[in-house]
Amino acid sequence: MTTTPTPLTGVVPPVCTPLTPEREVDTASLIRLVDHLIEGGVDGLFVLGSSSEAAYLTDDQRRTVIETVVGHVGGQLPVLAGAIDMATPRVLDHVRSVTGAGADGVVVTAPFYTRTHPAEVARHFRLIAQRSPVPVFAYDLPASVHSKLPAELTLELAAEGVLAGLKDSSGDEGNFREVVLGARTRPEVSGFSVLTGAETTVDGALAMGADGVVPGLGNVDPAGYARLYRHCREGDWARARVEQERLCGLFGMVRVGDPGRMGGSSSALGAFKAALALRGVIACAATAEPQVPLSSGEVERVGKFLAGAGLL
Amino acid sequence: MTTTPTPLTGVVPPVCTPLTPEREVDTASLIRLVDHLIEGGVDGLFVLGSSSEAAYLTDDQRRTVIETVVGHVGGQLPVLAGAIDMATPRVLDHVRSVTGAGADGVVVTAPFYTRTHPAEVARHFRLIAQRSPVPVFAYDLPASVHSKLPAELTLELAAEGVLAGLKDSSGDEGNFREVVLGARTRPEVSGFSVLTGAETTVDGALAMGADGVVPGLGNVDPAGYARLYRHCREGDWARARVEQERLCGLFGMVRVGDPGRMGGSSSALGAFKAALALRGVIACAATAEPQVPLSSGEVERVGKFLAGAGLL
Amino acid sequence: MTTTPTPLTGVVPPVCTPLTPEREVDTASLIRLVDHLIEGGVDGLFVLGSSSEAAYLTDDQRRTVIETVVGHVGGQLPVLAGAIDMATPRVLDHVRSVTGAGADGVVVTAPFYTRTHPAEVARHFRLIAQRSPVPVFAYDLPASVHSKLPAELTLELAAEGVLAGLKDSSGDEGNFREVVLGARTRPEVSGFSVLTGAETTVDGALAMGADGVVPGLGNVDPAGYARLYRHCREGDWARARVEQERLCGLFGMVRVGDPGRMGGSSSALGAFKAALALRGVIACAATAEPQVPLSSGEVERVGKFLAGAGLL
Amino acid sequence: MTTTPTPLTGVVPPVCTPLTPEREVDTASLIRLVDHLIEGGVDGLFVLGSSSEAAYLTDDQRRTVIETVVGHVGGQLPVLAGAIDMATPRVLDHVRSVTGAGADGVVVTAPFYTRTHPAEVARHFRLIAQRSPVPVFAYDLPASVHSKLPAELTLELAAEGVLAGLKDSSGDEGNFREVVLGARTRPEVSGFSVLTGAETTVDGALAMGADGVVPGLGNVDPAGYARLYRHCREGDWARARVEQERLCGLFGMVRVGDPGRMGGSSSALGAFKAALALRGVIACAATAEPQVPLSSGEVERVGKFLAGAGLL
């Protein structure tokens, strides 16, 4: 276990979970993927998030993932872990499991499946923070949990010390900027880490004052995101924009899957894994069930996106 | 383990999960609740559904519930168990757990949290049915899973033998009737059980030809639902309507909770548990975290609903 | 102008708006359609609702429709008219227009397009009722207006005399029953008319105590709905169910349109108009722009639905 | 009538519609508001959009607005006008009306109220462009119309010459950037104007390559947005950020209204109008019915936002 920097900054990719053709966790590929990310220059790892297919992985598989990654990383950089489940008691079980395995921070959504009031969302985060031995990051993902974390609530929980950071995958840039500004200007909120999950607007988020980025596409091109982050930190916005636009082009791969045949997760996660297999990082591009696999033609198109971005 | 009748018919309440003040499963209260339901004349039990707070209960707590209920029932009547989780592999773990403990059938929703295509929903149910040792019932609950099971898909999966029945909590009566009519008229669909979860329109559903009802309010007044079911089966629609309207009045308790202070689950499940405590069936009305407890004034109003329905 | 009965009861179909191939109102066909409905035994007419394509018709076309229908009906039966628009001042303009032309009642939704609070919805209905010379019916259509009229608010506005009735196309039968029960049991709510828009559960709605039905499919088979209504009123639930199930079969036509090529309105309204053309009631099945026309194969399938229901 | 520059660039505020206490259009205040905007340095005007309360204004009031503004502006700068209505024929009536009065471009949403397929959305824009004498701008506003214009469709319609520009109020920055990149890199799309409606991320949008901004808050502080635009165009991102952050602070006024008492429109539009009244630009802060007025305490808080931004 390492100590998570305060605030956590930089590129913290949500680590894909390579699977065997039988859909067990492929730990050898997972280790190669972690090495690929570290060599790419990332600043931390986030396992068991949405891009890691946490919604599909069994508890045993989740445990294998966190143990494999923490064991391999050996404290070189912080490892955050998702504790994704429907409501407080189930989330706390995952918190216990991942922190027992050495996670440096936990990433938690608002309750889902249940019909929850904002006061209950706040209570959920407070109860989890009380009982978590490591910092708690809020994961704002309305597409999955069907509620939005308002900036005001995020900042209130930050000021209370309940939340150490935010991973914003809501796509609501106005609300995101409100959190960024609040985190910088309110004295009672210090060390709070504001991270965007939006792959194609990282330069904008960092220009606003965000601390870092959690890009799913960072699995495929970690070095690209590391460069993008560096250009932004150096204030070289022109080079940042060039790098970002290259990554925007690469990101087009998330739509290779035929929408008449599969959902958005199958297409996007299928493309990331196909790209990792094509780049030789992981052995097999299988995604968890009931996701639909990409066709060979769709995989070919992933290859063209890689080539177009100079990655093949 | 008993053999589930084909089709399953009658009143099959989703069994509340009594908790201690420390929010552990109160097995003594759970056993009293099961006895209360059986004495009320129900035809089956459904544990670990939404009304059972399955979204909140840890895996250990879920196991305690299914073992307690199956052990106590001893095959007197069928016990269905929810296997509520986000996607196929996690659901299959719950299927293994509850069937290992003796569940006679499993109740499964479409995937949630993930963005899923209808083809993936179908694949999900097919994979689960392949690997489940007991019949699979689809649980249609758009308010929680944010997708709707269309009648055509339900009937197709019924015809394939994938689904043994439907628990419809969608509130979409037109779609429900389409399933009822299909189940009666298509020769390839036989023995399929069409159950409504709508507490206040049971007479209408049974008049259409539905097989049974899974009423959350049946925890509070199982005898009322048993009478209602009997009147409908006997074609005594006038007495059915009187009984149903009494239950409609009682159902008003789900809104006792202040919507400015709590969500719909806190209010409805809080009211059912408060009613069970007031009736002396369970020891404590606590709901799982992060739900907000009813105030004493709100509990008093629950009592008035009980009195108004002749239950106190 | 006739006096709307209090409460309005029976079958009140939302009258389709026949168009010429150039998409002008075909008044000759409209008059034939009105005759077809009256001969079928309906109890009132509702023009300029959703099934009338009010969302597409220009103000001039709306005026032509109401003048044509009121002129032709000549007070034989009540004519309600939709005043469908985004917010209060625009709705009031339509109220003036349709009542100037002789409408016996107006049908009004909650505001849409704007983000509206429940208090503003209530205020909207109150302002309209103050300024309308005829009774106001609320049109509950969440699929279009993206908010739901809760039973409590509906009954409150009924008790104030703001609303004369409800046309419920929400598909929420529990809420509908609450309105029905409230309208019957609260002394301050009298003469309030509770009408369902759900074509396939009319027997159930009338068994609950609803006053009538506003079936889009009633354009195609008004006599069927008139028989269904009569059987229900006579308490002959067995014959009602047979008639209703025949109509359920016929209703399948709303899904003839290819969902990969057109939306739900194009398919359902296209099917109703194709059926009216096939039955010789209207001259042309065109729907308003930008709706997509049914293909000839799809129109053929509409014919099969008619034949299957004994209408060709 | 002036010729709209190709592409239209700069600050194009959606002009509020001042009302008298009796809620008629206050043309004297409207003229003062236009002068205030022009003196502030804006590049164009957009009347009859959402911030103009177009959803509330009657056709007569809409006509008064466009005639007043076009007449007063006298071709000094381009005037775009909303043609906001549910479906194609009704939208075309508004197109005729506003272009008859001299609008230089029309702004049109996807159909709403109806259930529309993407193919029908495309057909809608094509039909309108065929019949409009002036350029058509798409207005992407999912919060109001409940569908999202995908980048691919927007660019396809741009390439066909159907659309002259996009006013994006969707808050989806990833999709927005895709349009910006497509407009710059696809040779068949030229002169297409990509405008953001997001008040608090203008620097980011312009850094990406957007052409301009349509800020509701620009009514209150046009000079601020003009400065922000200039700093961005000059590549002075540091000063741009300071100006943008000042405007972010000012934007907080949109939430002064008590959410327990009113909707988001009442609060935001009420605040803009209160600010304009406090600044002496318009005579009365009334909003159209059924919106709820701000309390005096809420208006006082608007004043504090003005003071905090150096505007009082």
Side-chain angles (χ1 to χ4, degrees):
Chain A
M1 180 167 162
T2 184
T3 303
T4 310
T6 305
L8 178 63
T9 60
V11 179
V12 186
V15 184
C16 284
T17 306
L19 300 178
T20 66
E22 296 72 34
R23 295 191 167 75
E24 287 307 324
V25 177
D26 174 352
T27 53
S29 287
L30 179 56
I31 286 172
R32 280 200 304 276
L33 174 55
V34 166
D35 286 340
H36 162 74
L37 297 171
I38 295 176
E39 285 157 21
V42 306
D43 303 285
L45 299 172
F46 168 34
V47 299
L48 302 179
S50 302
S51 298
S52 320
E53 299 174 86
Y56 303 85
L57 302 177
T58 64
D59 285 353
D60 279 354
Q61 291 176 322
R62 291 187 180 195
R63 208 150 23 232
T64 300
V65 167
I66 181 73
E67 286 172 2
T68 301
V69 172
V70 166
H72 184 68
V73 164
Q76 295 170 72
L77 74 184
V79 178
L80 306 186
I84 307 297
D85 217 312
M86 295 170 253
T88 318
R90 292 186 64 80
V91 171
L92 283 168
D93 263 9
H94 296 294
V95 168
R96 264 184 292 275
S97 175
V98 296
T99 57
D104 300 302
V106 290
V107 184
V108 171
T109 69
F112 50 93
Y113 186 90
T114 65
R115 291 172 292 154
T116 314
H117 188 273
E120 293 162 345
V121 174
R123 194 161 177 244
H124 173 72
F125 284 114
R126 287 187 185 112
L127 289 165
I128 288 162
Q130 273 168 29
R131 301 177 204 169
S132 169
V134 299
V136 177
F137 293 74
Y139 193 174
D140 189 21
L141 190 63
S144 290
V145 308
H146 300 277
S147 71
K148 166 87 191 103
L149 284 182
E152 206 38 64
L153 175 58
T154 305
L155 290 167
E156 185 185 324
L157 294 172
E160 288 178 23
V162 164
L163 294 180
L166 168 72
K167 192 236 157 165
D168 185 322
S169 295
S170 71
D172 182 338
E173 300 287 303
N175 188 77
F176 182 75
R177 187 166 210 157
E178 219 181 313
V179 177
V180 166
L181 289 177
R184 210 179 60 209
T185 57
R186 300 194 191 178
E188 71 279 16
V189 179
S190 84
F192 187 74
S193 180
V194 192
L195 308 170
T196 180
E199 278 98 341
T200 61
T201 54
V202 176
D203 52 351
L206 294 172
M208 275 182 203
D211 297 293
V213 56
V214 187
L217 185 64
N219 284 278
V220 178
D221 191 7
Y225 278 97
R227 277 193 302 273
L228 169 57
Y229 182 75
R230 208 166 50 238
H231 295 325
C232 291
R233 279 293 165 257
E234 292 168 352
D236 189 345
W237 300 110
R239 290 182 74 190
R241 182 167 156 181
V242 170
E243 187 68 46
Q244 175 70 80
E245 293 183 358
R246 191 185 57 81
L247 290 164
C248 288
L250 184 64
F251 188 68
M253 73 166 64
V254 301
R255 283 190 295 268
V256 293
D258 174 3
R261 209 166 50 84
M262 69 182 74
S265 292
S266 293
S267 179
L269 300 181
F272 291 164
K273 286 185 153 184
L276 286 168
L278 289 168
R279 297 199 75 190
V281 178
I282 68 175
C284 163
T287 52
E289 285 166 338
Q291 291 172 95
V292 169
L294 298 182
S295 69
S296 60
E298 288 161 348
V299 171
E300 217 171 283
R301 289 187 53 212
V302 171
K304 286 183 183 155
F305 279 101
L306 288 175
L311 296 177
L312 260 198
Chain B
M1 180 167 163
T2 184
T3 303
T4 311
T6 304
L8 178 64
T9 60
V11 178
V12 186
V15 184
C16 284
T17 306
L19 300 177
T20 66
E22 294 73 33
R23 294 191 169 74
E24 287 307 324
V25 177
D26 174 352
T27 53
S29 286
L30 178 56
I31 286 172
R32 280 201 305 275
L33 173 54
V34 167
D35 287 339
H36 162 74
L37 296 172
I38 295 176
E39 285 157 20
V42 305
D43 302 284
L45 299 173
F46 168 34
V47 299
L48 302 179
S50 302
S51 299
S52 319
E53 298 174 86
Y56 304 85
L57 301 177
T58 65
D59 286 351
D60 280 353
Q61 291 175 324
R62 290 186 181 197
R63 209 152 20 234
T64 300
V65 166
I66 181 71
E67 286 173 1
T68 302
V69 172
V70 167
H72 185 66
V73 165
Q76 296 171 69
L77 73 183
V79 177
L80 306 185
I84 308 297
D85 218 311
M86 295 169 252
T88 318
R90 293 186 63 80
V91 170
L92 282 169
D93 263 8
H94 295 295
V95 168
R96 266 185 290 277
S97 175
V98 295
T99 58
D104 300 301
V106 290
V107 185
V108 171
T109 69
F112 50 92
Y113 187 88
T114 65
R115 291 171 294 153
T116 313
H117 188 273
E120 293 163 345
V121 173
R123 194 159 178 245
H124 173 72
F125 284 114
R126 287 187 185 112
L127 289 165
I128 289 163
Q130 273 169 27
R131 302 177 201 168
S132 170
V134 300
V136 177
F137 292 74
Y139 193 175
D140 189 20
L141 189 64
S144 289
V145 308
H146 301 278
S147 70
K148 166 86 192 102
L149 284 182
E152 208 38 64
L153 176 59
T154 305
L155 290 167
E156 185 185 324
L157 294 172
E160 290 178 22
V162 164
L163 294 180
L166 170 71
K167 193 239 156 161
D168 186 322
S169 294
S170 71
D172 181 337
E173 300 287 303
N175 188 76
F176 183 75
R177 187 168 211 156
E178 219 180 312
V179 177
V180 166
L181 289 176
R184 211 180 58 210
T185 57
R186 301 194 190 179
E188 72 278 16
V189 180
S190 84
F192 187 74
S193 180
V194 192
L195 308 171
T196 179
E199 279 97 341
T200 61
T201 54
V202 176
D203 51 352
L206 294 172
M208 275 185 205
D211 297 293
V213 55
V214 187
L217 186 66
N219 283 280
V220 179
D221 191 6
Y225 278 98
R227 277 193 303 272
L228 170 57
Y229 182 75
R230 208 166 50 239
H231 295 325
C232 292
R233 280 290 165 259
E234 293 167 353
D236 189 345
W237 300 110
R239 290 181 74 190
R241 181 166 159 181
V242 170
E243 186 68 47
Q244 175 69 80
E245 292 184 357
R246 190 185 59 81
L247 290 164
C248 288
L250 184 64
F251 188 68
M253 73 168 60
V254 302
R255 282 191 295 269
V256 293
D258 173 4
R261 209 165 51 84
M262 69 182 74
S265 294
S266 294
S267 178
L269 300 181
F272 291 164
K273 287 185 151 182
L276 286 168
L278 289 168
R279 296 198 75 189
V281 179
I282 68 174
C284 164
T287 50
E289 286 167 338
Q291 290 172 98
V292 169
L294 297 181
S295 69
S296 60
E298 289 162 348
V299 171
E300 217 170 282
R301 289 187 53 213
V302 171
K304 285 184 183 156
F305 278 100
L306 288 175
L311 295 176
L312 258 200
Chain C
M1 179 168 162
T2 185
T3 304
T4 310
T6 306
L8 178 63
T9 60
V11 179
V12 186
V15 184
C16 284
T17 307
L19 299 178
T20 66
E22 295 71 33
R23 295 191 167 77
E24 286 309 323
V25 177
D26 174 353
T27 54
S29 287
L30 179 56
I31 286 172
R32 280 201 305 276
L33 173 55
V34 166
D35 287 338
H36 162 74
L37 297 171
I38 295 176
E39 284 157 22
V42 306
D43 303 284
L45 299 172
F46 168 34
V47 299
L48 303 179
S50 302
S51 299
S52 320
E53 300 175 86
Y56 303 84
L57 302 176
T58 63
D59 285 353
D60 279 352
Q61 292 176 322
R62 291 187 181 196
R63 209 152 22 233
T64 300
V65 167
I66 181 71
E67 286 172 2
T68 302
V69 172
V70 166
H72 185 67
V73 164
Q76 296 171 68
L77 73 184
V79 177
L80 307 186
I84 308 298
D85 218 312
M86 296 170 250
T88 317
R90 292 186 63 80
V91 171
L92 282 169
D93 262 8
H94 296 294
V95 168
R96 263 184 293 275
S97 175
V98 295
T99 58
D104 300 301
V106 290
V107 184
V108 172
T109 69
F112 50 93
Y113 186 90
T114 64
R115 292 171 293 153
T116 314
H117 188 272
E120 292 163 346
V121 174
R123 194 158 177 246
H124 173 71
F125 283 114
R126 287 187 186 112
L127 289 165
I128 288 163
Q130 272 169 29
R131 301 176 204 170
S132 169
V134 300
V136 177
F137 293 75
Y139 194 175
D140 189 20
L141 189 64
S144 289
V145 307
H146 301 278
S147 71
K148 166 88 192 102
L149 285 183
E152 206 38 64
L153 176 59
T154 306
L155 290 166
E156 186 185 322
L157 294 172
E160 288 178 24
V162 165
L163 294 180
L166 169 71
K167 192 238 157 164
D168 185 322
S169 294
S170 72
D172 181 337
E173 300 287 302
N175 188 76
F176 182 75
R177 188 167 209 156
E178 219 180 312
V179 177
V180 167
L181 289 177
R184 212 180 58 212
T185 56
R186 300 194 191 178
E188 72 278 17
V189 180
S190 84
F192 187 74
S193 180
V194 191
L195 308 170
T196 180
E199 280 97 341
T200 62
T201 54
V202 176
D203 53 349
L206 294 172
M208 275 182 203
D211 296 293
V213 56
V214 187
L217 185 64
N219 283 278
V220 179
D221 191 7
Y225 278 98
R227 279 193 300 273
L228 170 57
Y229 182 75
R230 207 167 50 239
H231 296 323
C232 291
R233 279 292 166 258
E234 292 167 354
D236 189 346
W237 300 110
R239 290 182 74 191
R241 182 166 156 182
V242 170
E243 188 67 46
Q244 175 69 80
E245 292 184 357
R246 190 185 59 81
L247 290 164
C248 288
L250 184 64
F251 188 68
M253 73 168 63
V254 301
R255 282 191 295 268
V256 293
D258 174 4
R261 210 166 49 85
M262 69 183 72
S265 293
S266 293
S267 178
L269 299 181
F272 291 165
K273 287 186 153 183
L276 285 168
L278 288 169
R279 297 200 74 190
V281 179
I282 68 175
C284 163
T287 51
E289 286 168 337
Q291 290 172 96
V292 169
L294 297 182
S295 68
S296 59
E298 288 162 349
V299 171
E300 218 171 281
R301 289 186 55 212
V302 170
K304 287 185 182 155
F305 279 101
L306 288 175
L311 296 176
L312 259 200
Chain D
M1 180 169 163
T2 185
T3 304
T4 309
T6 306
L8 179 63
T9 59
V11 179
V12 186
V15 184
C16 285
T17 306
L19 300 177
T20 67
E22 295 72 35
R23 294 189 169 77
E24 287 308 324
V25 177
D26 174 352
T27 53
S29 286
L30 178 56
I31 286 171
R32 279 201 305 275
L33 174 54
V34 167
D35 286 340
H36 161 74
L37 297 171
I38 295 176
E39 284 157 22
V42 305
D43 303 284
L45 298 174
F46 168 33
V47 298
L48 302 179
S50 303
S51 298
S52 320
E53 299 174 86
Y56 304 85
L57 300 177
T58 64
D59 286 352
D60 280 353
Q61 292 176 323
R62 291 186 181 196
R63 210 153 17 234
T64 301
V65 166
I66 180 70
E67 286 172 1
T68 303
V69 172
V70 166
H72 185 67
V73 164
Q76 297 172 70
L77 73 183
V79 177
L80 307 185
I84 307 297
D85 217 310
M86 296 169 251
T88 317
R90 293 185 64 80
V91 170
L92 282 169
D93 263 8
H94 295 295
V95 168
R96 264 183 292 276
S97 176
V98 295
T99 58
D104 300 301
V106 290
V107 184
V108 172
T109 69
F112 50 92
Y113 187 89
T114 65
R115 291 171 293 152
T116 314
H117 188 272
E120 293 162 346
V121 173
R123 195 160 176 244
H124 173 72
F125 283 114
R126 287 187 185 112
L127 289 165
I128 287 163
Q130 273 168 28
R131 302 178 202 168
S132 171
V134 299
V136 177
F137 292 76
Y139 193 175
D140 189 21
L141 189 62
S144 288
V145 308
H146 301 279
S147 70
K148 167 86 192 103
L149 284 183
E152 206 39 62
L153 176 59
T154 305
L155 289 167
E156 186 186 324
L157 294 172
E160 289 178 22
V162 165
L163 295 180
L166 168 72
K167 193 238 157 164
D168 185 322
S169 295
S170 71
D172 181 338
E173 299 288 302
N175 188 77
F176 182 75
R177 188 167 209 155
E178 219 179 315
V179 177
V180 166
L181 289 177
R184 212 179 57 210
T185 58
R186 301 194 189 180
E188 72 278 16
V189 180
S190 84
F192 187 74
S193 180
V194 192
L195 309 170
T196 180
E199 280 97 341
T200 62
T201 54
V202 176
D203 51 351
L206 294 172
M208 275 183 204
D211 297 294
V213 57
V214 187
L217 185 65
N219 283 278
V220 178
D221 191 5
Y225 278 97
R227 277 193 302 272
L228 169 56
Y229 181 75
R230 208 166 50 238
H231 296 324
C232 291
R233 280 292 165 257
E234 293 167 353
D236 189 346
W237 301 108
R239 289 181 73 190
R241 181 166 159 182
V242 170
E243 188 67 47
Q244 176 68 81
E245 293 184 355
R246 190 186 58 81
L247 290 163
C248 289
L250 184 64
F251 188 67
M253 73 167 61
V254 301
R255 283 191 294 270
V256 293
D258 174 4
R261 207 164 52 82
M262 69 183 74
S265 293
S266 294
S267 178
L269 300 181
F272 291 163
K273 287 186 152 182
L276 285 168
L278 289 169
R279 295 198 75 189
V281 179
I282 68 174
C284 163
T287 51
E289 286 168 338
Q291 291 173 96
V292 169
L294 298 182
S295 69
S296 59
E298 289 162 347
V299 171
E300 217 170 283
R301 288 187 54 214
V302 171
K304 286 183 182 157
F305 279 101
L306 288 175
L311 297 176
L312 260 198

